[in-house]
Amino acid sequence: MTEIVSKRSDIQPLKCLIVDDESIAVRGISNYIKKISFLVQEDSCSSAAEAVEILKRKEIDLMFLDISMPHMTGIELLETLENVPLTIIATTYSEFAIEGYRLNVTDYLLKPYSFERFSQAVHKAREIFMSHIILQNCGEDYKSNLFIRQGDSFKRISWEEILYAEAMQNYLKLYFKGKTIVIHQKISSLEELLPYDYFFRIHRSFLVNISHIDSLSGGYVNINGRELPLSKQRKVELLKSVVLKNLISK
Amino acid sequence: MKNDILKRIGYKTFLVIFCTGVVFLFWIQLLNQAPVIETIAFVLCIFIPLLLIAVYLSNYILPKVMVRLKKEAIIVFFIIASLLMSLIFALTVKGFSLLEKKNIFEPSLLFCFTDTLSLELLKAIPSVIFINLGFCGMRFYREHLKQEKIKHEFQLKFLQEQITPHFMFNVLNHINTLMQEDVNLASTLLIRYSDILRYQLYNGRKELISLNQEMEFLKNFIEIEKVRWEDKLVVSCSWKIDDNEKEIPPLLFVNLIENAFKHVSRTSSEKGFITITFEQHKNELELMVINSKSIIHSQKNECSGLGLENTAERLDILYPGKYKLFKEETGTTYIVKLNIIALT
């Protein structure tokens, strides 16, 4: 059994950043972080602008973010950031939960929250942080055994069921029929793991399973009712190497 | 019930039906006293100008005067209109009896007694006043209902917009945190917050409250905000109150103060300040709130005007024409000043 993706050390804790304009709220999160063995507080700040600077300078694995802050809200921060770490929103506003979901946040804590609820959220974050696809190579059964590592457990998946994968900076979202899984892996490394003949990178952020493509139209690829963008450079290649080849083989 | 009928058929349609009815009934009374054509001409000559004036007075002048609340003006308008209408009435009667004398119309029972013009005028005045009272009363009732409705809607809005839930949950979150590290501070915060909550729930619904109670509430609010922002903010207050028992409507100032805390610059790199001065002398009151503004230019226009608009709307109802709400923005500060010149 060989693991192609390098295994992250379990002992290394997640480096956290707290962004909240009220220092008591920062201390509240800080106190909770101290109680969780796999978290360590790297830094804290009171505005989105400061957060941008810190994220440029330091490596942050998990960010706790308030929404209502002067000048720039937490939501705006998430929209402007290029490289978003795993994010847990901690706010008093319940009405931004849907926005948060759109921006792929890990969890949404409503102030005030209990330590149990906090712990649940950070465990979810850790699960995503630890999860990546591992390939079990069993000689002849080439590239057929894929596992998703979630914390200490492994979950078997078959690549035929993957519809497509969407990149979100250091993470990616795997779409199956009826469910999605977020894993901590770059889309390029996933591309290496999956059978080359069946998966095609149609865009910087999208890797699709060719057998699930419903239609191609203009600059878009339709899969499972969603329109995915098809970049110009890849369009020709997709048509040539994939669609035509498949047609001929039939 | 009456209001429902008015709503369904429309106020104007109702007026037309009502006027037609009055004219018709009056005409029936005259039918057996003179030829049909003469009675129709007579009734129309009297009622068309009379009703037009009455409708104009009640529908156009009355609402305008009611808004500006000049009670004397409506009486003047009422007298002028009534005199004008009486004159038209008397002249029409005189005119028609003249026409009968000159045999253009046949002599009838209508004008068997020839009174002088001034006597006709006197006779007309009571009925004309009655007509005007009827029209104006109807309109007044309608306007009154409308204003009551606006007032109630506003009251509801105001109750909903008392200190935001955002503030409340943040305070609860702080209490939750402080309980782990500073139990005494947590307890102080909790007690202050209960006072605020009690004030909002019970006194906030009253029409008037003593200045003393309102000040206690504002001080509690400011103390909580101070705890929230710790050393990022310097808050200085001055309260000069002559008469603690003076009565004012509750929760009138908290929005202005809350706004200052919301928009003040307060990051660890930019320390902010808020200065609040409150003065009450006899029937006059002045509140000035100054807060520092961030130098970093905010990309979007923060909705700082919103709280002020609501306050102004409420002041318009409570102290129409007797207050001044003034705001000024400089490069580094934001100033709001409220003057009320006639507390009741």
Side-chain angles (χ1 to χ4, degrees):
Chain A
M1 177 173 166
T2 47
E3 286 189 1
I4 290 178
V5 178
S6 65
K7 193 177 166 187
R8 275 170 193 269
S9 159
D10 284 8
I11 309 145
Q12 195 186 347
L14 271 71
K15 298 186 197 86
C16 303
L17 167 67
I18 308 168
V19 189
D20 197 310
D21 58 341
E22 296 185 45
S23 36
I24 296 177
V26 170
R27 289 210 313 268
I29 295 174
S30 189
N31 293 343
Y32 281 171
I33 285 177
K34 281 178 201 146
K35 291 188 194 172
I36 306 253
S37 58
F38 60 84
L39 297 180
V40 61
Q41 186 184 333
E42 187 74 19
D43 211 338
S44 73
C45 59
S46 62
S47 73
E50 288 167 273
V52 172
E53 287 309 309
I54 293 168
L55 286 168
K56 271 184 204 160
R57 269 195 339 263
K58 294 179 180 171
E59 193 193 317
I60 300 292
D61 300 320
L62 177 60
M63 173 164 70
F64 293 93
L65 184 64
D66 184 19
I67 288 184
S68 155
M69 288 181 291
H71 313 308
M72 198 202 268
T73 67
I75 296 285
E76 285 168 315
L77 174 71
L78 288 178
E79 278 169 342
T80 45
L81 277 179
E82 283 259 318
N83 229 340
V84 192
L86 283 176
T87 302
I88 294 174
I89 288 181
T91 182
T92 59
Y93 290 104
S94 53
E95 55 266 40
F96 291 104
I98 291 165
E99 279 289 273
Y101 180 76
R102 180 177 69 81
L103 293 161
N104 285 316
V105 303
T106 306
D107 210 339
Y108 200 96
L109 294 174
L110 279 176
K111 289 177 188 171
Y113 43 84
S114 64
F115 176 69
E116 286 70 27
R117 181 69 188 79
F118 176 85
S119 163
Q120 195 186 359
V122 296
H123 272 92
K124 200 170 152 191
R126 187 175 78 137
E127 197 162 272
I128 293 174
F129 190 77
M130 304 270 288
S131 69
H132 40 252
I133 288 191
I134 310 162
L135 178 76
Q136 193 187 25
N137 199 345
C138 302
E140 293 137 47
D141 200 4
Y142 175 65
K143 286 186 175 175
S144 65
N145 287 320
L146 289 171
F147 289 91
I148 291 182
R149 186 200 169 124
Q150 289 179 316
D152 298 328
S153 61
F154 296 87
K155 196 173 164 191
R156 185 178 185 140
I157 53 160
S158 76
W159 58 261
E160 287 96 336
E161 285 170 16
I162 300 174
L163 301 175
Y164 59 95
E166 180 183 4
M168 315 144 34
Q169 286 81 35
N170 299 323
Y171 299 86
L172 58 85
K173 216 171 183 175
L174 290 174
Y175 289 82
F176 296 87
K177 275 220 162 71
K179 66 168 178 180
T180 58
I181 297 175
V182 179
I183 57 171
H184 187 213
Q185 193 157 27
K186 294 213 166 167
I187 201 161
S188 48
S189 79
L190 179 73
E191 203 178 356
E192 285 169 22
L193 288 175
L194 294 168
Y196 178 76
D197 291 343
Y198 289 91
F199 283 87
F200 190 85
R201 189 83 171 270
I202 57 162
H203 182 272
R204 193 163 51 93
S205 315
F206 290 98
L207 179 68
V208 304
N209 187 339
I210 295 160
S211 45
H212 286 294
I213 293 179
D214 295 325
S215 64
L216 284 167
S217 59
Y220 292 97
V221 175
N222 279 296
I223 295 184
N224 200 26
R226 198 175 152 191
E227 261 189 353
L228 307 176
L230 172 60
S231 69
K232 275 182 193 163
Q233 307 96 287
R234 314 243 176 176
K235 195 177 175 180
V236 183
E237 203 191 325
L238 177 71
L239 289 172
K240 215 189 283 176
S241 71
V242 179
V243 181
L244 292 178
K245 198 172 86 186
N246 279 13
L247 280 175
I248 291 161
S249 69
K250 277 173 191 171
Chain B
M1 191 60 203
K2 195 184 168 187
N3 200 22
D4 281 354
I5 296 165
L6 279 181
K7 231 184 229 168
R8 218 177 304 146
I9 59 171
Y11 186 70
K12 282 184 180 147
T13 326
F14 174 74
L15 270 186
V16 171
I17 294 169
F18 180 73
C19 292
T20 320
V22 168
V23 173
F24 184 72
L25 287 176
F26 190 79
W27 175 66
I28 284 189
Q29 301 291 313
L30 303 178
L31 257 184
N32 56 353
Q33 296 176 17
V36 179
I37 296 179
E38 190 189 343
T39 51
I40 291 175
F42 179 65
V43 168
L44 290 182
C45 280
I46 286 185
F47 278 101
I48 287 175
L50 239 60
L51 292 177
L52 281 180
I53 293 172
V55 167
Y56 183 74
L57 178 74
S58 63
N59 276 1
Y60 296 95
I61 297 176
L62 184 79
K64 275 186 198 166
V65 174
M66 268 182 80
V67 170
R68 289 188 204 134
L69 285 167
K70 286 174 193 155
K71 281 161 201 146
E72 303 80 13
I74 187 68
I75 295 167
V76 173
F77 276 115
F78 191 87
I79 291 171
I80 293 174
S82 301
L83 284 177
L84 189 68
M85 286 159 76
S86 310
L87 193 68
I88 291 168
F89 191 95
L91 283 174
T92 318
V93 171
K94 266 296 178 201
F96 269 81
S97 65
L98 207 70
L99 288 176
E100 281 187 7
K101 260 183 205 161
K102 291 198 172 172
N103 278 328
I104 292 168
F105 287 121
E106 280 173 41
S108 66
L109 295 170
L110 273 178
F111 313 106
C112 42
F113 310 104
T114 47
D115 289 328
T116 57
L117 183 65
S118 48
L119 204 62
E120 286 292 343
L121 202 63
L122 280 177
K123 273 165 72 182
I125 284 174
S127 37
V128 158
I129 287 178
F130 194 72
I131 289 175
N132 274 345
L133 276 179
F135 273 91
C136 289
M138 221 152 58
R139 182 73 200 196
F140 186 82
Y141 179 65
R142 184 169 174 251
E143 288 295 313
H144 185 70
L145 281 181
K146 223 161 90 184
Q147 286 193 355
E148 280 295 298
K149 205 179 149 212
I150 293 172
K151 217 169 160 182
H152 281 201
E153 274 169 8
F154 189 81
Q155 205 116 29
L156 199 71
K157 209 171 101 193
F158 162 70
L159 282 174
Q160 287 165 345
E161 281 174 4
Q162 288 175 22
I163 302 182
T164 53
H166 185 57
F167 172 82
M168 172 174 137
F169 286 117
N170 270 320
V171 172
L172 292 176
N173 188 48
H174 292 351
I175 293 170
N176 186 35
T177 300
L178 288 170
M179 280 191 317
Q180 327 279 331
E181 46 182 55
D182 185 348
V183 181
N184 287 334
L185 187 55
S187 163
T188 317
L189 203 59
L190 186 65
I191 286 162
R192 281 197 197 282
Y193 186 62
S194 338
D195 285 342
I196 283 193
L197 209 57
R198 190 175 298 115
Y199 187 81
Q200 280 191 312
L201 289 175
Y202 300 110
N203 292 341
R205 279 155 207 259
K206 290 181 186 165
E207 212 158 300
L208 291 168
I209 198 82
S210 77
L211 205 50
N212 190 26
Q213 280 173 294
E214 179 77 12
M215 290 307 111
E216 276 310 306
F217 162 72
L218 289 179
K219 282 173 194 167
N220 272 330
F221 179 79
I222 292 165
E223 282 307 314
I224 289 181
E225 288 281 12
K226 275 183 180 168
V227 174
R228 280 179 79 185
W229 306 116
E230 291 181 332
D231 57 343
K232 288 180 197 160
L233 214 56
V234 180
V235 184
S236 48
C237 305
S238 118
W239 313 91
K240 280 181 199 157
I241 293 160
D242 272 3
D243 179 6
N244 271 323
E245 294 311 309
K246 196 96 203 161
E247 289 195 315
I248 53 158
L251 305 167
L252 194 54
F253 314 110
V254 69
N255 275 341
L256 304 182
I257 294 173
E258 195 190 6
N259 254 357
F261 281 98
K262 225 184 258 176
H263 299 291
V264 68
S265 54
R266 44 169 164 73
T267 53
S268 36
S269 53
E270 274 185 280
K271 280 197 178 123
F273 67 87
I274 291 182
T275 312
I276 299 166
T277 48
F278 189 96
E279 262 179 68
Q280 175 262 323
H281 179 69
K282 285 178 183 163
N283 279 330
E284 282 177 37
L285 180 154
E286 186 187 288
L287 169 69
M288 184 153 77
V289 184
I290 306 173
N291 68 267
S292 59
K293 226 176 70 177
S294 173
I295 313 159
I296 307 164
H297 186 68
S298 171
Q299 290 130 330
K300 55 185 169 105
N301 275 327
E302 285 171 34
C303 50
S304 55
L306 192 76
L308 224 55
E309 266 164 40
N310 290 344
T311 305
E313 217 175 304
R314 192 162 170 234
L315 284 164
D316 273 332
I317 294 175
L318 296 168
Y319 299 103
K322 292 170 192 158
Y323 80 93
K324 261 185 236 162
L325 186 61
F326 151 92
K327 57 176 176 178
E328 194 189 299
E329 209 174 341
T330 69
T332 51
T333 57
Y334 193 82
I335 305 167
V336 178
K337 204 166 137 184
L338 168 66
N339 281 82
I340 299 176
I341 47 175
L343 294 171
T344 37

mmCIF file of all heavy atoms in Angstrom, chain B residues 13 17 77 87 94 104 117 121 124 132 135 147 159 173 189 195 215 217 277 281 284 308 318 320 322 329 338 341:
data_model
loop_
_atom_site.group_PDB
_atom_site.id
_atom_site.type_symbol
_atom_site.label_atom_id
_atom_site.label_comp_id
_atom_site.label_asym_id
_atom_site.label_seq_id
_atom_site.Cartn_x
_atom_site.Cartn_y
_atom_site.Cartn_z
ATOM 1 N N THR B 13 -66.010 59.430 -4.542
ATOM 2 C CA THR B 13 -67.292 58.904 -5.014
ATOM 3 C C THR B 13 -68.360 59.139 -3.960
ATOM 4 O O THR B 13 -69.490 59.539 -4.263
ATOM 5 C CB THR B 13 -67.174 57.384 -5.282
ATOM 6 O OG1 THR B 13 -65.878 57.113 -5.747
ATOM 7 C CG2 THR B 13 -68.217 56.921 -6.258
ATOM 8 N N ILE B 17 -71.909 61.214 -4.419
ATOM 9 C CA ILE B 17 -73.214 60.619 -4.116
ATOM 10 C C ILE B 17 -73.942 61.452 -3.057
ATOM 11 O O ILE B 17 -75.131 61.779 -3.192
ATOM 12 C CB ILE B 17 -73.062 59.152 -3.639
ATOM 13 C CG1 ILE B 17 -72.528 58.291 -4.776
ATOM 14 C CG2 ILE B 17 -74.390 58.591 -3.139
ATOM 15 C CD1 ILE B 17 -72.104 56.906 -4.352
ATOM 16 N N PHE B 77 -60.559 80.813 7.357
ATOM 17 C CA PHE B 77 -61.007 80.243 6.091
ATOM 18 C C PHE B 77 -62.479 79.848 6.160
ATOM 19 O O PHE B 77 -63.255 80.053 5.224
ATOM 20 C CB PHE B 77 -60.178 79.010 5.716
ATOM 21 C CG PHE B 77 -58.896 79.360 5.028
ATOM 22 C CD1 PHE B 77 -57.676 79.090 5.619
ATOM 23 C CD2 PHE B 77 -58.904 79.975 3.777
ATOM 24 C CE1 PHE B 77 -56.498 79.419 4.990
ATOM 25 C CE2 PHE B 77 -57.732 80.301 3.140
ATOM 26 C CZ PHE B 77 -56.522 80.021 3.748
ATOM 27 N N LEU B 87 -73.625 84.770 0.693
ATOM 28 C CA LEU B 87 -73.833 85.835 -0.288
ATOM 29 C C LEU B 87 -74.362 85.266 -1.599
ATOM 30 O O LEU B 87 -75.332 85.763 -2.182
ATOM 31 C CB LEU B 87 -72.513 86.573 -0.514
ATOM 32 C CG LEU B 87 -72.622 87.901 -1.265
ATOM 33 C CD1 LEU B 87 -73.362 88.939 -0.416
ATOM 34 C CD2 LEU B 87 -71.249 88.427 -1.653
ATOM 35 N N LYS B 94 -82.470 86.415 -4.509
ATOM 36 C CA LYS B 94 -82.866 87.753 -4.987
ATOM 37 C C LYS B 94 -83.030 87.769 -6.509
ATOM 38 O O LYS B 94 -84.011 88.272 -7.061
ATOM 39 C CB LYS B 94 -81.793 88.782 -4.574
ATOM 40 C CG LYS B 94 -82.123 89.471 -3.255
ATOM 41 C CD LYS B 94 -83.383 90.257 -3.440
ATOM 42 C CE LYS B 94 -83.872 90.957 -2.207
ATOM 43 N NZ LYS B 94 -85.295 91.276 -2.291
ATOM 44 N N ILE B 104 -90.101 86.587 -16.505
ATOM 45 C CA ILE B 104 -89.339 85.608 -17.295
ATOM 46 C C ILE B 104 -89.732 84.212 -16.827
ATOM 47 O O ILE B 104 -89.926 83.288 -17.595
ATOM 48 C CB ILE B 104 -87.825 85.845 -17.168
ATOM 49 C CG1 ILE B 104 -87.475 87.157 -17.859
ATOM 50 C CG2 ILE B 104 -87.015 84.693 -17.781
ATOM 51 C CD1 ILE B 104 -86.116 87.694 -17.619
ATOM 52 N N LEU B 117 -82.021 92.108 0.763
ATOM 53 C CA LEU B 117 -80.833 91.275 0.546
ATOM 54 C C LEU B 117 -80.157 90.879 1.863
ATOM 55 O O LEU B 117 -79.797 89.729 2.077
ATOM 56 C CB LEU B 117 -79.831 92.021 -0.351
ATOM 57 C CG LEU B 117 -78.572 91.251 -0.724
ATOM 58 C CD1 LEU B 117 -78.907 90.042 -1.585
ATOM 59 C CD2 LEU B 117 -77.582 92.150 -1.431
ATOM 60 N N LEU B 121 -79.482 87.232 3.477
ATOM 61 C CA LEU B 121 -78.133 86.850 3.872
ATOM 62 C C LEU B 121 -78.145 86.225 5.260
ATOM 63 O O LEU B 121 -77.586 85.143 5.487
ATOM 64 C CB LEU B 121 -77.250 88.109 3.867
ATOM 65 C CG LEU B 121 -75.750 87.912 3.741
ATOM 66 C CD1 LEU B 121 -75.408 87.279 2.408
ATOM 67 C CD2 LEU B 121 -75.028 89.248 3.885
ATOM 68 N N ALA B 124 -79.579 82.852 5.314
ATOM 69 C CA ALA B 124 -78.756 81.805 4.664
ATOM 70 C C ALA B 124 -77.635 81.298 5.570
ATOM 71 O O ALA B 124 -77.271 80.121 5.518
ATOM 72 C CB ALA B 124 -78.172 82.347 3.363
ATOM 73 N N ASN B 132 -71.061 73.562 5.761
ATOM 74 C CA ASN B 132 -69.597 73.571 5.907
ATOM 75 C C ASN B 132 -69.127 72.698 7.054
ATOM 76 O O ASN B 132 -68.150 71.962 6.919
ATOM 77 C CB ASN B 132 -69.105 75.005 6.135
ATOM 78 C CG ASN B 132 -68.880 75.712 4.813
ATOM 79 O OD1 ASN B 132 -68.822 75.060 3.767
ATOM 80 N ND2 ASN B 132 -68.779 77.020 4.861
ATOM 81 N N PHE B 135 -69.250 69.052 5.951
ATOM 82 C CA PHE B 135 -68.161 68.663 5.048
ATOM 83 C C PHE B 135 -66.817 68.617 5.764
ATOM 84 O O PHE B 135 -66.074 67.654 5.654
ATOM 85 C CB PHE B 135 -68.084 69.660 3.876
ATOM 86 C CG PHE B 135 -68.991 69.279 2.750
ATOM 87 C CD1 PHE B 135 -70.291 69.756 2.679
ATOM 88 C CD2 PHE B 135 -68.534 68.420 1.758
ATOM 89 C CE1 PHE B 135 -71.116 69.393 1.655
ATOM 90 C CE2 PHE B 135 -69.369 68.060 0.709
ATOM 91 C CZ PHE B 135 -70.671 68.549 0.659
ATOM 92 N N GLN B 147 -53.983 60.060 10.343
ATOM 93 C CA GLN B 147 -52.844 60.409 11.188
ATOM 94 C C GLN B 147 -52.664 59.420 12.334
ATOM 95 O O GLN B 147 -51.540 59.066 12.682
ATOM 96 C CB GLN B 147 -53.008 61.827 11.729
ATOM 97 C CG GLN B 147 -52.753 62.853 10.650
ATOM 98 C CD GLN B 147 -52.584 64.248 11.202
ATOM 99 O OE1 GLN B 147 -52.755 64.471 12.392
ATOM 100 N NE2 GLN B 147 -52.271 65.179 10.331
ATOM 101 N N LEU B 159 -40.802 50.568 18.185
ATOM 102 C CA LEU B 159 -40.594 49.512 19.176
ATOM 103 C C LEU B 159 -39.700 48.410 18.625
ATOM 104 O O LEU B 159 -38.896 47.839 19.324
ATOM 105 C CB LEU B 159 -41.940 48.920 19.596
ATOM 106 C CG LEU B 159 -42.728 49.757 20.592
ATOM 107 C CD1 LEU B 159 -44.085 49.155 20.820
ATOM 108 C CD2 LEU B 159 -41.982 49.891 21.905
ATOM 109 N N ASN B 173 -22.647 37.511 24.706
ATOM 110 C CA ASN B 173 -21.420 36.791 24.372
ATOM 111 C C ASN B 173 -20.273 37.214 25.294
ATOM 112 O O ASN B 173 -19.495 36.382 25.761
ATOM 113 C CB ASN B 173 -21.052 37.064 22.914
ATOM 114 C CG ASN B 173 -19.903 36.212 22.446
ATOM 115 O OD1 ASN B 173 -19.881 35.004 22.662
ATOM 116 N ND2 ASN B 173 -18.912 36.853 21.839
ATOM 117 N N LEU B 189 -21.719 43.622 34.293
ATOM 118 C CA LEU B 189 -22.255 43.749 32.943
ATOM 119 C C LEU B 189 -23.670 43.185 32.867
ATOM 120 O O LEU B 189 -24.574 43.786 32.295
ATOM 121 C CB LEU B 189 -21.335 42.987 31.973
ATOM 122 C CG LEU B 189 -21.359 43.392 30.513
ATOM 123 C CD1 LEU B 189 -20.971 44.852 30.363
ATOM 124 C CD2 LEU B 189 -20.414 42.524 29.692
ATOM 125 N N ASP B 195 -30.844 46.036 33.609
ATOM 126 C CA ASP B 195 -31.482 47.345 33.767
ATOM 127 C C ASP B 195 -31.917 47.910 32.420
ATOM 128 O O ASP B 195 -33.007 48.461 32.285
ATOM 129 C CB ASP B 195 -30.523 48.327 34.459
ATOM 130 C CG ASP B 195 -30.423 48.034 35.951
ATOM 131 O OD1 ASP B 195 -31.322 47.335 36.461
ATOM 132 O OD2 ASP B 195 -29.454 48.478 36.582
ATOM 133 N N MET B 215 -31.822 59.168 31.767
ATOM 134 C CA MET B 215 -30.376 59.376 31.909
ATOM 135 C C MET B 215 -29.701 58.138 32.487
ATOM 136 O O MET B 215 -28.627 57.742 32.042
ATOM 137 C CB MET B 215 -30.091 60.586 32.813
ATOM 138 C CG MET B 215 -30.450 61.931 32.217
ATOM 139 S SD MET B 215 -29.715 62.221 30.604
ATOM 140 C CE MET B 215 -31.156 62.167 29.562
ATOM 141 N N PHE B 217 -30.636 55.145 32.136
ATOM 142 C CA PHE B 217 -30.613 54.164 31.045
ATOM 143 C C PHE B 217 -29.451 54.452 30.096
ATOM 144 O O PHE B 217 -28.678 53.559 29.740
ATOM 145 C CB PHE B 217 -31.958 54.202 30.310
ATOM 146 C CG PHE B 217 -31.933 53.593 28.945
ATOM 147 C CD1 PHE B 217 -31.834 52.228 28.785
ATOM 148 C CD2 PHE B 217 -32.003 54.401 27.812
ATOM 149 C CE1 PHE B 217 -31.810 51.666 27.520
ATOM 150 C CE2 PHE B 217 -31.972 53.841 26.557
ATOM 151 C CZ PHE B 217 -31.864 52.474 26.402
ATOM 152 N N THR B 277 -22.348 65.473 25.388
ATOM 153 C CA THR B 277 -22.764 66.500 26.343
ATOM 154 C C THR B 277 -24.273 66.630 26.298
ATOM 155 O O THR B 277 -24.873 66.720 25.228
ATOM 156 C CB THR B 277 -22.138 67.874 26.036
ATOM 157 O OG1 THR B 277 -22.319 68.137 24.648
ATOM 158 C CG2 THR B 277 -20.678 67.938 26.370
ATOM 159 N N HIS B 281 -32.255 72.809 30.487
ATOM 160 C CA HIS B 281 -32.503 74.005 31.279
ATOM 161 C C HIS B 281 -33.925 74.449 30.981
ATOM 162 O O HIS B 281 -34.260 74.722 29.834
ATOM 163 C CB HIS B 281 -31.487 75.088 30.896
ATOM 164 C CG HIS B 281 -31.682 76.362 31.656
ATOM 165 N ND1 HIS B 281 -31.434 76.450 33.009
ATOM 166 C CD2 HIS B 281 -32.107 77.578 31.251
ATOM 167 C CE1 HIS B 281 -31.709 77.683 33.400
ATOM 168 N NE2 HIS B 281 -32.120 78.383 32.358
ATOM 169 N N GLU B 284 -35.806 73.730 27.705
ATOM 170 C CA GLU B 284 -34.891 73.501 26.588
ATOM 171 C C GLU B 284 -33.938 72.364 26.891
ATOM 172 O O GLU B 284 -33.561 72.131 28.031
ATOM 173 C CB GLU B 284 -34.097 74.775 26.291
ATOM 174 C CG GLU B 284 -34.915 75.786 25.532
ATOM 175 C CD GLU B 284 -34.152 77.069 25.316
ATOM 176 O OE1 GLU B 284 -32.933 76.990 25.098
ATOM 177 O OE2 GLU B 284 -34.781 78.133 25.390
ATOM 178 N N LEU B 308 -30.475 58.330 12.160
ATOM 179 C CA LEU B 308 -30.826 59.739 12.271
ATOM 180 C C LEU B 308 -32.190 60.019 11.650
ATOM 181 O O LEU B 308 -32.986 60.776 12.196
ATOM 182 C CB LEU B 308 -29.752 60.562 11.557
ATOM 183 C CG LEU B 308 -29.282 61.808 12.282
ATOM 184 C CD1 LEU B 308 -28.801 61.465 13.665
ATOM 185 C CD2 LEU B 308 -28.185 62.484 11.494
ATOM 186 N N LEU B 318 -43.413 64.057 17.680
ATOM 187 C CA LEU B 318 -43.437 64.471 19.083
ATOM 188 C C LEU B 318 -43.290 65.981 19.259
ATOM 189 O O LEU B 318 -43.976 66.588 20.070
ATOM 190 C CB LEU B 318 -42.312 63.767 19.848
ATOM 191 C CG LEU B 318 -42.406 62.255 19.938
ATOM 192 C CD1 LEU B 318 -41.099 61.680 20.459
ATOM 193 C CD2 LEU B 318 -43.557 61.851 20.854
ATOM 194 N N PRO B 320 -43.267 68.758 16.656
ATOM 195 C CA PRO B 320 -43.273 69.373 15.322
ATOM 196 C C PRO B 320 -42.873 70.841 15.384
ATOM 197 O O PRO B 320 -43.462 71.620 16.132
ATOM 198 C CB PRO B 320 -44.712 69.192 14.853
ATOM 199 C CG PRO B 320 -45.499 68.948 16.084
ATOM 200 C CD PRO B 320 -44.585 68.308 17.072
ATOM 201 N N LYS B 322 -40.525 72.218 16.757
ATOM 202 C CA LYS B 322 -39.924 72.697 18.004
ATOM 203 C C LYS B 322 -38.578 72.049 18.273
ATOM 204 O O LYS B 322 -38.110 72.007 19.403
ATOM 205 C CB LYS B 322 -40.859 72.412 19.178
ATOM 206 C CG LYS B 322 -42.131 73.233 19.143
ATOM 207 C CD LYS B 322 -43.085 72.706 20.189
ATOM 208 C CE LYS B 322 -44.469 73.292 20.008
ATOM 209 N NZ LYS B 322 -45.490 72.453 20.634
ATOM 210 N N GLU B 329 -20.099 66.750 9.343
ATOM 211 C CA GLU B 329 -19.022 65.791 9.169
ATOM 212 C C GLU B 329 -17.764 66.556 8.796
ATOM 213 O O GLU B 329 -17.768 67.321 7.834
ATOM 214 C CB GLU B 329 -19.417 64.822 8.053
ATOM 215 C CG GLU B 329 -18.811 63.467 8.217
ATOM 216 C CD GLU B 329 -19.333 62.484 7.178
ATOM 217 O OE1 GLU B 329 -20.389 62.738 6.585
ATOM 218 O OE2 GLU B 329 -18.651 61.477 6.961
ATOM 219 N N LEU B 338 -28.749 67.780 18.786
ATOM 220 C CA LEU B 338 -30.206 67.843 18.847
ATOM 221 C C LEU B 338 -30.623 68.897 19.874
ATOM 222 O O LEU B 338 -30.186 68.877 21.015
ATOM 223 C CB LEU B 338 -30.770 66.473 19.255
ATOM 224 C CG LEU B 338 -32.260 66.450 19.629
ATOM 225 C CD1 LEU B 338 -33.138 66.765 18.423
ATOM 226 C CD2 LEU B 338 -32.646 65.093 20.203
ATOM 227 N N ILE B 341 -36.671 72.845 21.831
ATOM 228 C CA ILE B 341 -36.832 74.140 22.487
ATOM 229 C C ILE B 341 -38.094 74.235 23.339
ATOM 230 O O ILE B 341 -38.240 75.153 24.113
ATOM 231 C CB ILE B 341 -36.798 75.309 21.470
ATOM 232 C CG1 ILE B 341 -37.699 74.991 20.291
ATOM 233 C CG2 ILE B 341 -35.374 75.591 21.031
ATOM 234 C CD1 ILE B 341 -37.831 76.117 19.312
#
